Amino acid sequence: MRRYQKGESLLTIARSVNFSPCHLGRLLLEHSGFSKHEVSNFIKHPHTIADKRMRTELEECIEEDEHQSPYINTIRRVIGVEYEYILEEKLRNANLPFVTEATLRNQGYPRTPDILLQLPVVVSGQIVTWIDSKAMFGDAVTHSHYINDQYQSYVNRFGPGLVIYWFGCVEGLNTNSTSGVLALEDFPAPSQLQTMDICCEQNEALDRALLPGSEENKSTEDFSQAGWLSSAN
């Protein structure tokens, strides 16, 4: 604040301390006595600021901030929507019925994933009931933050799920098997994905094979006996 009062520009100060220009502008506005609601409006509409110097310098900060400006946030939202659409198309192509976040919100759910599957699937051996789309890179810190802030509430309400980091993720995110959250870099390949009805059919086939007197069990017993006899001889 002292440097600003002495005449240094917000952008110069922000760059000198490697800080987001928009965040520095926000802090200055809050320090000047504006409420957080007013500050958010000023960041979105800097032309409404009465003070000419503050208005001009905040506009400069917004223009130069490559990470936290309203323009960048808009781009992130647009990319996020695009990848949510891609996820929905992949689900339709895989003939997997689902409910979108918008529908769940209309039904009164306060916090929801992007997709709730109407029929759970098995992905790489884990049951998946919901999918969340993240148009970003997933590192360990980010993933841990989202588990605590979002994913765990989805697990508690809907069961285990899947998050897709479309721009890649670090190895080791799936080491915490108790979280109930599987992390992938893309929509599951056919070899990774099984619907519950296929799993049920496989389990039923296995159960039939183990029934006494069944053809499957008989062939298994014959094989076992043959193996025992050959080893005995």
Side-chain angles (χ1 to χ4, degrees), residues 2-181:
R2 288 194 298 270
R3 292 175 63 179
Y4 177 77
Q5 290 173 338
K6 290 181 179 179
E8 282 192 75
S9 72
L10 284 174
L11 187 59
T12 300
I13 298 170
R15 286 176 172 171
S16 70
V17 294
N18 195 26
F19 195 72
S20 162
C22 280
H23 276 321
L24 184 60
R26 181 181 292 275
L27 292 174
L28 176 63
L29 289 167
E30 291 178 356
H31 186 79
S32 300
F34 295 104
S35 68
K36 290 186 176 181
H37 177 71
E38 290 174 318
V39 170
S40 294
N41 283 333
F42 286 148
I43 296 294
K44 295 177 182 177
H45 311 288
H47 64 276
T48 61
I49 300 175
D51 184 274
K52 182 178 179 181
R53 180 192 174 193
M54 189 177 291
R55 178 176 67 249
T56 301
E57 293 198 13
L58 185 60
E59 288 174 339
E60 184 181 30
C61 288
I62 292 172
E63 187 70 27
E64 296 294 328
D65 197 319
E66 299 179 352
H67 302 286
Q68 299 296 333
S69 76
Y71 304 143
I72 299 300
N73 292 335
T74 298
I75 292 172
R76 287 196 186 106
R77 284 195 296 271
V78 170
I79 294 175
V81 170
E82 178 183 358
Y83 277 90
E84 288 174 15
Y85 175 80
I86 290 173
L87 173 58
E88 292 177 14
E89 283 298 294
K90 288 180 177 292
L91 288 166
R92 292 189 186 97
N93 292 335
N95 295 318
L96 296 176
F98 62 91
V99 179
T100 64
E101 180 181 17
T103 301
L104 292 171
R105 290 289 178 89
N106 290 334
Q107 293 175 354
Y109 289 99
R111 304 191 70 181
T112 65
D114 294 320
I115 295 294
L116 179 64
L117 297 173
Q118 293 179 306
L119 180 66
V121 297
V122 176
V123 178
S124 299
Q126 177 174 310
I127 294 176
V128 170
T129 60
W130 55 266
I131 305 177
D132 211 51
S133 171
K134 295 296 183 190
M136 60 187 299
F137 180 83
D139 57 47
V141 174
T142 300
H143 187 62
S144 177
H145 166 75
Y146 276 118
I147 285 179
N148 295 326
D149 189 57
Q150 292 183 1
Y151 307 151
Q152 195 59 57
S153 64
Y154 304 159
V155 173
N156 294 341
R157 183 177 295 274
F158 302 111
L162 163 68
V163 55
I164 301 176
Y165 291 106
W166 295 103
F167 295 163
C169 60
V170 298
E171 295 182 1
L173 294 187
N174 295 317
T175 55
N176 183 8
S177 59
T178 61
S179 69
V181 180

